[in-house]
Protein backbone atom coordinates (compact mmCIF):
# COMPACT_ATOMS: atom_id res chain seq x y z
CA UNK A 1 0.00 0.00 0.00
CA UNK A 2 1.79 3.15 -1.14
CA UNK A 3 1.54 6.16 1.14
CA UNK A 4 -0.78 8.91 0.00
CA UNK A 5 1.04 11.59 -1.95
CA UNK A 6 0.75 14.76 0.08
CA UNK A 7 0.09 18.02 -1.74
CA UNK A 8 1.07 21.63 -1.46
CA UNK A 9 -1.90 23.99 -1.55
CA UNK A 10 -1.14 27.28 -3.31
CA UNK A 11 -3.49 30.17 -2.54
CA UNK A 12 -2.97 33.35 -4.53
CA UNK A 13 -6.35 35.03 -5.03
CA UNK A 14 -6.34 38.55 -3.58
CA UNK A 15 -8.42 38.66 -0.42
CA UNK A 16 -8.74 34.89 -0.03
CA UNK A 17 -9.06 33.51 3.51
CA UNK A 18 -7.83 30.03 4.41
CA UNK A 19 -9.54 28.44 7.40
CA UNK A 20 -10.03 25.07 9.04
CA UNK A 21 -13.39 23.45 9.64
CA UNK A 22 -13.18 20.12 11.48
CA UNK A 23 -10.67 18.20 9.32
CA UNK A 24 -11.26 20.22 6.18
CA UNK A 25 -9.36 23.19 4.81
CA UNK A 26 -11.60 25.84 3.30
CA UNK A 27 -10.54 28.66 1.02
CA UNK A 28 -13.13 31.43 0.82
CA UNK A 29 -13.30 34.72 -1.02
CA UNK A 30 -15.89 37.28 0.14
CA UNK A 31 -17.96 34.53 1.73
CA UNK A 32 -17.86 32.26 -1.31
CA UNK A 33 -16.12 28.90 -1.02
CA UNK A 34 -13.40 28.45 -3.62
CA UNK A 35 -12.00 25.18 -2.42
CA UNK A 36 -12.58 22.52 0.20
CA UNK A 37 -9.95 19.83 0.73
CA UNK A 38 -9.14 17.35 3.50
CA UNK A 39 -6.35 18.57 5.75
CA UNK A 40 -4.74 15.13 5.86
CA UNK A 41 -3.83 15.37 2.16
CA UNK A 42 -1.94 18.61 2.63
CA UNK A 43 1.75 18.79 3.37
CA UNK A 44 2.11 22.55 3.23
CA UNK A 45 0.11 25.67 2.41
CA UNK A 46 1.64 28.56 0.51
CA UNK A 47 -0.11 31.93 0.46
CA UNK A 48 0.95 34.46 -2.16
CA UNK A 49 -0.09 38.11 -2.12
CA UNK A 50 -3.05 39.31 -0.04
CA UNK A 51 -4.06 36.02 1.54
CA UNK A 52 -4.91 35.45 5.19
CA UNK A 53 -4.86 32.39 7.40
CA UNK A 54 -7.10 32.05 10.44
CA UNK A 55 -5.50 31.34 13.81
CA UNK A 56 -7.19 27.95 14.27
CA UNK A 57 -5.77 26.85 10.90
CA UNK A 58 -2.26 27.98 11.84
CA UNK A 59 -2.47 26.27 15.22
CA UNK A 60 -3.69 23.05 13.68
CA UNK A 61 -0.96 23.04 11.02
CA UNK A 62 1.72 23.82 13.60
CA UNK A 63 0.51 20.97 15.79
CA UNK A 64 0.53 18.52 12.87
CA UNK A 65 3.88 19.68 11.53
CA UNK A 66 2.45 20.97 8.25
CA UNK A 67 4.23 24.14 7.21
CA UNK A 68 2.45 27.36 6.29
CA UNK A 69 4.34 29.92 4.24
CA UNK A 70 3.61 33.46 3.05
CA UNK A 71 5.25 35.01 0.04
CA UNK A 72 4.80 38.37 -1.69
CA UNK A 73 3.41 38.47 -5.20
CA UNK A 74 6.94 38.85 -6.49
CA UNK A 75 7.85 35.60 -4.78
CA UNK A 76 9.75 37.15 -1.90
CA UNK A 77 9.59 35.08 1.27
CA UNK A 78 7.75 36.71 4.18
CA UNK A 79 7.32 34.13 6.93
CA UNK A 80 6.78 30.50 7.70
CA UNK A 81 5.07 28.72 10.54
CA UNK A 82 6.51 25.48 11.79
CA UNK A 83 5.50 23.50 14.81
CA UNK A 84 7.74 22.93 17.76
CA UNK A 85 11.37 22.42 16.77
CA UNK A 86 11.75 18.72 16.28
CA UNK A 87 14.78 16.64 15.68
CA UNK A 88 17.85 15.99 17.57
CA UNK A 89 19.67 18.64 19.52
CA UNK A 90 22.83 16.52 19.36
CA UNK A 91 22.72 16.67 15.58
CA UNK A 92 22.46 20.45 15.71
CA UNK A 93 25.40 20.60 18.12
CA UNK A 94 27.40 18.50 15.65
CA UNK A 95 26.34 20.89 12.90
CA UNK A 96 27.71 23.93 14.75
CA UNK A 97 30.94 22.06 15.33
CA UNK A 98 31.21 21.03 11.68
CA UNK A 99 30.65 24.62 10.61
CA UNK A 100 33.60 25.63 12.83
CA UNK A 101 35.88 22.88 11.58
CA UNK A 102 37.82 24.08 8.50
CA UNK A 103 38.43 20.56 7.12
CA UNK A 104 34.85 19.43 7.51
CA UNK A 105 33.40 22.65 6.09
CA UNK A 106 35.73 22.53 3.12
CA UNK A 107 34.81 18.92 2.33
CA UNK A 108 31.09 19.67 2.45
CA UNK A 109 31.50 22.87 0.41
CA UNK A 110 33.44 21.05 -2.28
CA UNK A 111 30.80 18.34 -2.50
CA UNK A 112 27.99 20.89 -2.82
CA UNK A 113 29.72 22.84 -5.58
CA UNK A 114 30.74 19.63 -7.37
CA UNK A 115 27.12 18.47 -7.33
CA UNK A 116 25.86 21.80 -8.60
CA UNK A 117 28.37 22.12 -11.44
CA UNK A 118 27.88 18.48 -12.43
CA UNK A 119 24.12 18.96 -12.65
CA UNK A 120 24.50 22.23 -14.57
CA UNK A 121 26.69 20.39 -17.09
CA UNK A 122 24.21 17.53 -17.41
CA UNK A 123 21.38 19.97 -18.01
CA UNK A 124 23.36 21.78 -20.72
CA UNK A 125 24.38 18.53 -22.43
CA UNK A 126 20.96 16.92 -22.24
CA UNK A 127 19.07 19.99 -23.43
CA UNK A 128 21.61 20.65 -26.21
CA UNK A 129 20.61 17.38 -27.92
CA UNK A 130 17.18 18.81 -28.67
CA UNK A 131 18.43 22.08 -30.14
CA UNK A 132 17.71 22.81 -33.79
CA UNK A 133 20.50 25.29 -34.45
CA UNK A 134 24.04 23.82 -34.58
CA UNK A 135 25.44 27.15 -33.32
CA UNK A 136 23.35 26.85 -30.14
CA UNK A 137 24.40 23.22 -29.72
CA UNK A 138 28.04 24.21 -30.02
CA UNK A 139 27.61 27.06 -27.52
CA UNK A 140 25.98 24.78 -24.94
CA UNK A 141 28.69 22.12 -25.40
CA UNK A 142 31.46 24.71 -25.12
CA UNK A 143 29.99 25.90 -21.82
CA UNK A 144 29.73 22.30 -20.61
CA UNK A 145 33.43 21.79 -21.42
CA UNK A 146 34.37 24.93 -19.51
CA UNK A 147 32.38 23.71 -16.51
CA UNK A 148 34.20 20.37 -16.70
CA UNK A 149 37.52 22.22 -16.58
CA UNK A 150 36.46 24.12 -13.46
CA UNK A 151 35.15 20.90 -11.92
CA UNK A 152 38.63 19.39 -12.20
CA UNK A 153 40.08 22.27 -10.18
CA UNK A 154 37.76 21.56 -7.25
CA UNK A 155 39.61 18.69 -5.51
CA UNK A 156 42.76 20.80 -5.16
CA UNK A 157 40.92 23.85 -3.83
CA UNK A 158 42.33 24.16 -0.34
CA UNK A 159 40.61 27.32 0.86
CA UNK A 160 36.88 28.16 1.17
CA UNK A 161 37.32 31.27 -0.97
CA UNK A 162 38.82 29.14 -3.76
CA UNK A 163 35.74 26.92 -3.72
CA UNK A 164 33.47 29.99 -3.73
CA UNK A 165 35.51 31.43 -6.58
CA UNK A 166 34.98 28.30 -8.68
CA UNK A 167 31.28 28.45 -7.87
CA UNK A 168 31.12 32.08 -9.02
CA UNK A 169 32.98 31.48 -12.28
CA UNK A 170 30.88 28.45 -13.18
CA UNK A 171 27.62 30.21 -12.31
CA UNK A 172 28.40 33.11 -14.65
CA UNK A 173 29.53 30.76 -17.43
CA UNK A 174 26.42 28.60 -17.03
CA UNK A 175 23.93 31.49 -17.03
CA UNK A 176 25.61 33.02 -20.06
CA UNK A 177 25.01 29.73 -21.92
CA UNK A 178 21.50 29.13 -20.62
CA UNK A 179 19.93 31.44 -23.22
CA UNK A 180 20.99 28.99 -25.93
CA UNK A 181 18.60 26.42 -24.47
CA UNK A 182 15.60 28.67 -25.07
CA UNK A 183 13.85 28.14 -28.41
CA UNK A 184 15.03 30.86 -30.81
CA UNK A 185 11.53 32.27 -31.39
CA UNK A 186 11.12 32.60 -27.62
CA UNK A 187 14.56 34.12 -27.27
CA UNK A 188 13.63 36.89 -29.71
CA UNK A 189 10.90 38.23 -27.43
CA UNK A 190 12.81 37.77 -24.17
CA UNK A 191 15.75 39.88 -23.20
CA UNK A 192 17.47 37.18 -21.20
CA UNK A 193 21.21 37.57 -20.99
CA UNK A 194 22.49 36.01 -17.82
CA UNK A 195 21.26 36.15 -14.27
CA UNK A 196 20.10 39.34 -12.55
CA UNK A 197 18.19 39.65 -9.32
CA UNK A 198 16.98 41.95 -6.56
CA UNK A 199 14.93 42.79 -8.45
CA UNK A 200 14.80 40.51 -11.50
CA UNK A 201 14.67 42.68 -14.63
CA UNK A 202 13.39 40.28 -17.29
CA UNK A 203 10.80 37.47 -17.44
CA UNK A 204 13.31 34.60 -17.28
CA UNK A 205 14.95 36.01 -14.16
CA UNK A 206 11.55 36.75 -12.61
CA UNK A 207 10.59 33.08 -13.02
CA UNK A 208 13.97 31.87 -11.75
CA UNK A 209 13.75 34.06 -8.64
CA UNK A 210 10.23 32.82 -7.98
CA UNK A 211 11.23 29.16 -8.35
CA UNK A 212 14.38 29.56 -6.25
CA UNK A 213 12.28 31.02 -3.42
CA UNK A 214 9.96 28.03 -3.51
CA UNK A 215 12.93 25.67 -3.63
CA UNK A 216 14.52 27.38 -0.61
CA UNK A 217 11.26 27.08 1.29
CA UNK A 218 11.12 23.34 0.55
CA UNK A 219 14.76 22.98 1.59
CA UNK A 220 14.08 24.70 4.94
CA UNK A 221 11.24 22.27 5.60
CA UNK A 222 13.42 19.30 4.65
CA UNK A 223 16.23 20.45 6.97
CA UNK A 224 13.90 21.14 9.89
CA UNK A 225 12.43 17.70 9.26
CA UNK A 226 15.75 15.93 9.85
CA UNK A 227 16.62 18.24 12.75
CA UNK A 228 19.26 20.45 11.14
CA UNK A 229 19.43 24.23 11.61
CA UNK A 230 18.63 25.85 8.24
CA UNK A 231 20.66 28.95 9.13
CA UNK A 232 24.06 27.38 9.74
CA UNK A 233 25.56 26.80 6.31
CA UNK A 234 28.93 25.94 4.86
CA UNK A 235 29.17 27.41 1.38
CA UNK A 236 26.93 30.35 2.23
CA UNK A 237 28.32 32.58 4.93
CA UNK A 238 26.28 33.27 8.04
CA UNK A 239 24.12 36.36 8.06
CA UNK A 240 21.26 37.23 10.39
CA UNK A 241 18.08 35.74 9.01
CA UNK A 242 19.73 34.05 6.05
CA UNK A 243 18.86 30.36 5.65
CA UNK A 244 22.44 29.52 4.70
CA UNK A 245 22.16 25.75 4.94
CA UNK A 246 18.92 25.75 2.93
CA UNK A 247 20.73 27.76 0.27
CA UNK A 248 23.58 25.22 0.37
CA UNK A 249 21.15 22.35 -0.02
CA UNK A 250 19.36 23.79 -3.04
CA UNK A 251 22.57 24.42 -5.01
CA UNK A 252 22.60 20.99 -6.65
CA UNK A 253 18.82 21.12 -7.19
CA UNK A 254 18.68 24.49 -8.93
CA UNK A 255 19.54 23.16 -12.41
CA UNK A 256 17.41 20.02 -12.30
CA UNK A 257 14.37 21.43 -10.54
CA UNK A 258 14.10 25.18 -11.05
CA UNK A 259 16.08 25.83 -14.25
CA UNK A 260 14.54 22.83 -16.00
CA UNK A 261 11.02 24.00 -15.08
CA UNK A 262 11.80 27.52 -16.32
CA UNK A 263 13.00 26.17 -19.70
CA UNK A 264 9.89 24.00 -20.09
CA UNK A 265 7.58 26.89 -19.27
CA UNK A 266 9.05 29.20 -21.90
CA UNK A 267 9.85 26.64 -24.57
CA UNK A 268 6.38 25.12 -24.43
CA UNK A 269 4.84 28.60 -24.57
CA UNK A 270 3.13 28.15 -21.22
CA UNK A 271 4.30 31.66 -20.38
CA UNK A 272 3.94 34.67 -22.66
CA UNK A 273 5.39 38.16 -22.26
CA UNK A 274 1.83 39.27 -21.40
CA UNK A 275 1.99 37.11 -18.25
CA UNK A 276 4.42 39.61 -16.71
CA UNK A 277 3.95 43.04 -15.20
CA UNK A 278 6.56 45.76 -15.11
CA UNK A 279 6.69 47.48 -11.75
CA UNK A 280 7.89 51.04 -11.22
CA UNK A 281 11.66 50.85 -10.93
CA UNK A 282 12.01 48.25 -13.68
CA UNK A 283 11.35 45.08 -11.71
CA UNK A 284 9.41 42.37 -13.56
CA UNK A 285 6.76 40.33 -11.81
CA UNK A 286 4.60 37.35 -12.73
CA UNK A 287 0.86 37.98 -13.00
CA UNK A 288 -1.78 35.68 -11.56
CA UNK A 289 -2.26 33.51 -14.67
CA UNK A 290 1.50 33.24 -15.06
CA UNK A 291 1.93 32.10 -11.45
CA UNK A 292 -0.74 29.47 -12.02
CA UNK A 293 1.24 28.10 -14.98
CA UNK A 294 4.41 28.06 -12.87
CA UNK A 295 2.73 26.12 -10.04
CA UNK A 296 1.34 23.57 -12.50
CA UNK A 297 4.72 22.90 -14.11
CA UNK A 298 6.51 22.91 -10.73
CA UNK A 299 4.00 20.38 -9.42
CA UNK A 300 4.44 18.19 -12.50
CA UNK A 301 8.20 18.19 -12.09
CA UNK A 302 7.97 17.36 -8.39
CA UNK A 303 5.82 14.33 -9.13
CA UNK A 304 8.15 12.96 -11.83
CA UNK A 305 10.31 10.04 -10.72
CA UNK A 306 14.03 9.54 -11.03
CA UNK A 307 16.32 6.74 -9.94
CA UNK A 308 18.45 7.80 -6.99
CA UNK A 309 22.02 6.68 -7.77
CA UNK A 310 22.82 5.86 -4.15
CA UNK A 311 19.53 4.47 -2.91
CA UNK A 312 19.10 2.52 -6.16
CA UNK A 313 15.38 3.14 -6.08
CA UNK A 314 13.01 5.59 -7.70
CA UNK A 315 12.24 8.82 -5.85
CA UNK A 316 10.11 11.74 -6.95
CA UNK A 317 11.90 15.03 -7.59
CA UNK A 318 9.75 16.46 -4.82
CA UNK A 319 11.35 14.06 -2.30
CA UNK A 320 14.94 14.65 -3.39
CA UNK A 321 15.47 17.47 -0.90
CA UNK A 322 14.34 15.24 1.97
CA UNK A 323 16.73 12.49 0.85
CA UNK A 324 19.64 14.91 0.47
CA UNK A 325 18.89 16.57 3.83
CA UNK A 326 19.34 13.14 5.39
CA UNK A 327 22.61 12.67 3.50
CA UNK A 328 23.77 16.03 4.83
CA UNK A 329 22.86 15.03 8.39
CA UNK A 330 24.85 11.83 7.96
CA UNK A 331 27.88 13.72 6.65
CA UNK A 332 27.72 16.14 9.59
CA UNK A 333 27.38 13.39 12.15
CA UNK A 334 29.94 10.92 10.90
CA UNK A 335 33.72 10.98 11.01
CA UNK A 336 34.00 9.16 7.72
CA UNK A 337 32.86 10.04 4.22
CA UNK A 338 31.66 13.54 3.49
CA UNK A 339 28.48 14.69 1.86
CA UNK A 340 27.29 12.90 -1.28
CA UNK A 341 25.37 15.29 -3.52
CA UNK A 342 22.64 14.13 -5.87
CA UNK A 343 24.28 13.62 -9.25
CA UNK A 344 21.88 13.89 -12.13
CA UNK A 345 22.47 11.68 -15.14
CA UNK A 346 21.18 13.51 -18.15
CA UNK B 1 -5.85 3.63 -2.22
CA UNK B 2 -8.86 5.22 -3.83
CA UNK B 3 -12.30 4.86 -2.29
CA UNK B 4 -15.78 5.99 -3.13
CA UNK B 5 -17.98 6.55 -0.11
CA UNK B 6 -21.75 6.71 -0.56
CA UNK B 7 -24.38 6.97 2.12
CA UNK B 8 -28.05 7.10 2.69
CA UNK B 9 -29.38 8.52 5.94
CA UNK B 10 -33.06 8.48 6.96
CA UNK B 11 -33.86 12.15 7.40
CA UNK B 12 -37.52 12.00 8.35
CA UNK B 13 -36.67 12.84 11.94
CA UNK B 14 -34.73 15.80 13.28
CA UNK B 15 -32.27 13.35 14.77
CA UNK B 16 -31.79 11.80 11.30
CA UNK B 17 -31.01 15.20 9.80
CA UNK B 18 -28.35 15.65 12.45
CA UNK B 19 -26.83 12.26 11.58
CA UNK B 20 -26.75 13.24 7.92
CA UNK B 21 -24.84 16.42 8.74
CA UNK B 22 -22.40 14.52 10.91
CA UNK B 23 -21.77 11.86 8.26
CA UNK B 24 -21.13 14.56 5.63
CA UNK B 25 -18.82 16.44 7.98
CA UNK B 26 -16.86 13.30 8.80
CA UNK B 27 -16.45 12.46 5.10
CA UNK B 28 -15.21 15.97 4.32
CA UNK B 29 -12.13 15.36 6.40
CA UNK B 30 -11.20 12.37 4.24
CA UNK B 31 -11.98 13.30 0.68
CA UNK B 32 -13.91 15.54 -1.64
CA UNK B 33 -17.61 15.79 -2.14
CA UNK B 34 -18.54 15.07 -5.77
CA UNK B 35 -22.29 14.61 -5.30
CA UNK B 36 -24.74 15.27 -2.47
CA UNK B 37 -23.96 11.99 -0.74
CA UNK B 38 -20.92 10.72 -2.65
CA UNK B 39 -17.31 11.32 -1.69
CA UNK B 40 -14.05 10.46 -3.45
CA UNK B 41 -11.24 9.74 -1.00
CA UNK B 42 -7.55 8.89 -1.25
CA UNK B 43 -6.66 7.07 1.95
CA UNK B 44 -3.91 4.97 3.43
CA UNK B 45 -4.72 1.90 5.51
CA UNK B 46 -4.89 3.81 8.78
CA UNK B 47 -7.17 6.57 7.50
CA UNK B 48 -9.45 4.02 5.89
CA UNK B 49 -9.94 2.14 9.13
CA UNK B 50 -10.44 5.43 10.96
CA UNK B 51 -13.15 6.53 8.52
CA UNK B 52 -15.01 3.22 8.68
CA UNK B 53 -14.93 3.39 12.45
CA UNK B 54 -16.17 6.97 12.58
CA UNK B 55 -19.03 6.45 10.17
CA UNK B 56 -20.04 3.28 11.98
CA UNK B 57 -20.32 5.26 15.20
CA UNK B 58 -22.53 7.96 13.66
CA UNK B 59 -25.17 6.05 11.71
CA UNK B 60 -28.19 4.10 12.94
CA UNK B 61 -27.65 0.67 11.54
CA UNK B 62 -31.34 -0.16 11.30
CA UNK B 63 -32.20 2.96 9.27
CA UNK B 64 -29.13 4.27 7.43
CA UNK B 65 -26.55 2.73 5.12
CA UNK B 66 -22.99 3.49 4.05
CA UNK B 67 -21.29 1.83 1.07
CA UNK B 68 -17.56 2.14 0.46
CA UNK B 69 -16.07 0.97 -2.83
CA UNK B 70 -12.38 0.53 -3.51
CA UNK B 71 -11.32 1.59 -6.99
CA UNK B 72 -8.26 1.95 -9.26
CA UNK B 73 -8.07 5.73 -9.39
CA UNK B 74 -10.11 8.80 -10.29
CA UNK B 75 -8.27 9.69 -13.48
CA UNK B 76 -10.03 10.59 -16.69
CA UNK B 77 -9.51 7.08 -18.04
CA UNK B 78 -11.53 5.46 -15.29
CA UNK B 79 -14.17 8.10 -14.75
CA UNK B 80 -16.82 9.58 -16.96
CA UNK B 81 -18.57 12.74 -15.86
CA UNK B 82 -21.73 14.05 -17.48
CA UNK B 83 -22.99 17.42 -16.39
CA UNK B 84 -21.39 19.45 -13.59
CA UNK B 85 -18.00 18.24 -12.51
CA UNK B 86 -17.56 19.20 -8.87
CA UNK B 87 -14.37 17.24 -8.37
CA UNK B 88 -10.91 18.68 -8.03
CA UNK B 89 -8.15 16.73 -9.77
CA UNK B 90 -6.50 15.13 -6.77
CA UNK B 91 -3.29 14.52 -8.72
CA UNK B 92 -2.98 17.94 -10.35
CA UNK B 93 -1.68 21.10 -8.73
CA UNK B 94 -3.89 22.57 -6.02
CA UNK B 95 -4.01 26.25 -6.83
CA UNK B 96 -6.69 28.84 -6.14
Amino acid sequence: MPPVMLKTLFVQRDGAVVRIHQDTVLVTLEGETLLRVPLHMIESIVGIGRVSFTSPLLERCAADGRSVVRMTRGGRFLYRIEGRLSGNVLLRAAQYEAARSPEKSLAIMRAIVAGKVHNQRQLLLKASRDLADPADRAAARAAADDLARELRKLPSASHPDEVRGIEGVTARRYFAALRHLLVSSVREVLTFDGRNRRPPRDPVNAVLSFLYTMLTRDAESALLGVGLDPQIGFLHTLRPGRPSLALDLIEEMRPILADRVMLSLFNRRQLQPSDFEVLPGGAIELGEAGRRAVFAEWDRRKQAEIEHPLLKQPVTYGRLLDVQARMLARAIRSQGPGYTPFLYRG
Amino acid sequence: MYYIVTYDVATDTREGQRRLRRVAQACEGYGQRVQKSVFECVLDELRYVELVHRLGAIIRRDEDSVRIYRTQDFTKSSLLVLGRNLGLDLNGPWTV
Side-chain angles (χ1 to χ4, degrees):
Chain A
M1 177 114 184
V4 174
M5 178 90 182
L6 295 173
K7 309 284 294 185
T8 300
L9 171 63
F10 296 104
V11 184
Q12 56 157 6
R13 289 278 285 278
D14 254 2
V17 180
V18 190
R19 61 183 81 239
I20 184 108
H21 178 71
Q22 307 278 20
D23 300 326
T24 313
V25 173
L26 288 175
V27 184
T28 55
L29 183 65
E30 287 156 6
E32 197 184 328
T33 303
L34 299 176
L35 185 83
R36 189 188 285 266
V37 283
L39 178 72
H40 82 90
M41 293 186 73
I42 294 177
E43 177 177 43
S44 59
I45 303 176
V46 182
I48 292 125
R50 274 199 326 114
V51 171
S52 29
F53 306 116
T54 61
S55 290
L57 172 91
L58 293 174
E59 284 153 23
R60 185 71 184 274
C61 286
D64 292 1
R66 302 175 211 272
S67 63
V68 179
V69 177
R70 275 278 280 114
M71 287 167 31
T72 65
R73 288 198 328 185
R76 236 176 10 87
F77 171 85
L78 287 172
Y79 70 76
R80 72 182 307 124
I81 295 220
E82 293 278 346
R84 193 176 310 182
L85 196 52
S86 64
N88 183 339
V89 67
L90 298 174
L91 174 61
R92 279 197 294 279
Q95 182 187 354
Y96 302 142
E97 223 159 285
R100 284 220 187 87
S101 146
E103 303 83 59
K104 195 127 196 178
S105 300
L106 190 67
I108 292 176
M109 279 169 71
R110 272 203 211 118
I112 287 168
V113 174
K116 179 185 187 178
V117 178
H118 171 93
N119 292 348
Q120 287 174 331
R121 269 198 83 228
Q122 292 298 325
L123 179 75
L124 285 170
L125 291 171
K126 189 174 181 186
S128 73
R129 287 179 217 139
D130 307 329
L131 295 174
D133 186 348
D136 287 329
R137 266 206 301 279
R141 297 242 165 87
D145 292 345
D146 288 348
L147 294 190
R149 235 192 323 281
E150 293 297 320
L151 208 47
R152 283 194 289 274
K153 289 183 195 164
L154 255 184
S156 58
S158 57
H159 191 278
D161 287 345
E162 265 182 87
V163 179
R164 291 190 185 107
I166 292 172
E167 194 274 328
V169 168
T170 49
R172 273 190 298 280
R173 186 71 188 87
Y174 166 77
F175 277 116
L178 204 54
R179 56 191 302 271
H180 293 284
L181 304 184
L182 287 164
V183 176
S184 56
S185 58
V186 172
R187 214 182 309 162
E188 278 157 24
V189 292
L190 296 174
T191 53
F192 175 62
D193 190 20
R195 179 88 176 113
N196 58 58
R197 48 203 263 266
R198 290 193 202 155
R201 285 177 293 278
D202 59 76
V204 171
N205 278 296
V207 171
L208 286 177
S209 290
F210 197 81
L211 288 168
Y212 292 157
T213 307
M214 293 214 284
L215 197 53
T216 311
R217 181 186 68 72
D218 286 351
E220 282 181 319
S221 286
L223 292 167
L224 287 165
V226 298
L228 286 164
D229 181 339
Q231 296 199 341
I232 305 272
F234 298 92
L235 181 68
H236 289 83
T237 46
L238 307 192
R239 273 196 222 149
R242 185 193 217 183
S244 299
L245 192 63
L247 294 170
D248 284 1
L249 182 62
I250 68 168
E251 288 293 10
E252 70 209 53
M253 300 298 170
R254 286 176 197 256
I256 54 177
L257 271 164
D259 303 354
R260 181 65 268 171
V261 166
M262 178 280 289
L263 289 169
S264 303
L265 282 164
F266 284 107
N267 285 343
R268 294 201 200 120
R269 310 283 195 292
Q270 289 164 343
L271 284 177
Q272 310 290 345
S274 59
D275 286 319
F276 296 87
E277 294 154 24
V278 184
L279 302 182
I284 299 266
E285 199 171 84
L286 268 164
E288 191 181 306
R291 282 198 304 266
R292 197 177 287 272
V294 172
F295 293 140
E297 189 58 40
W298 177 245
D299 203 74
R300 234 197 313 280
R301 182 65 171 175
K302 278 173 82 169
Q303 288 196 39
E305 284 197 340
I306 187 165
E307 160 114 352
H308 195 283
L310 269 179
L311 304 178
K312 293 278 181 271
Q313 55 175 325
V315 279
T316 60
Y317 278 96
R319 283 279 153 260
L320 275 181
L321 282 168
D322 293 332
V323 173
Q324 293 308 123
R326 250 171 252 132
M327 298 268 178
L328 204 47
R330 207 174 61 177
I332 284 167
R333 227 190 257 118
S334 71
Q335 296 306 317
Y339 173 62
T340 317
F342 175 80
L343 299 177
Y344 174 67
R345 296 199 208 107
Chain B
M1 286 300 288
Y2 296 81
Y3 298 90
I4 296 162
V5 181
T6 65
Y7 52 85
D8 211 346
V9 178
T11 53
D12 42 6
T13 60
R14 181 157 290 196
E15 207 262 328
Q17 287 159 15
R18 215 182 99 238
R19 288 201 307 277
L20 178 70
R21 272 200 307 278
R22 287 181 58 206
V23 167
Q25 217 159 53
C27 287
E28 274 183 350
Y30 293 84
Q32 60 168 347
R33 195 172 207 151
V34 290
Q35 280 180 1
K36 279 209 171 74
S37 53
V38 179
F39 279 79
E40 290 174 359
C41 309
V42 185
L43 307 170
D44 58 21
E45 218 52 88
L46 187 72
R47 290 244 151 220
Y48 169 75
V49 172
E50 205 178 65
L51 176 65
V52 170
H53 195 80
R54 273 177 76 168
L55 294 180
I58 297 170
I59 62 166
R60 269 195 62 166
R61 298 188 181 227
D62 55 343
E63 289 190 7
D64 313 334
S65 88
V66 170
R67 295 177 86 87
I68 301 181
Y69 305 82
R70 182 178 289 198
T71 169
Q72 269 328 93
D73 55 34
F74 305 130
T75 55
K76 291 185 179 70
S77 57
S78 66
L79 169 73
L80 172 71
V81 181
L82 300 176
R84 289 173 58 212
N85 186 358
L86 300 171
L88 162 84
D89 178 6
L90 292 177
N91 295 321
W94 290 7
T95 312
V96 275

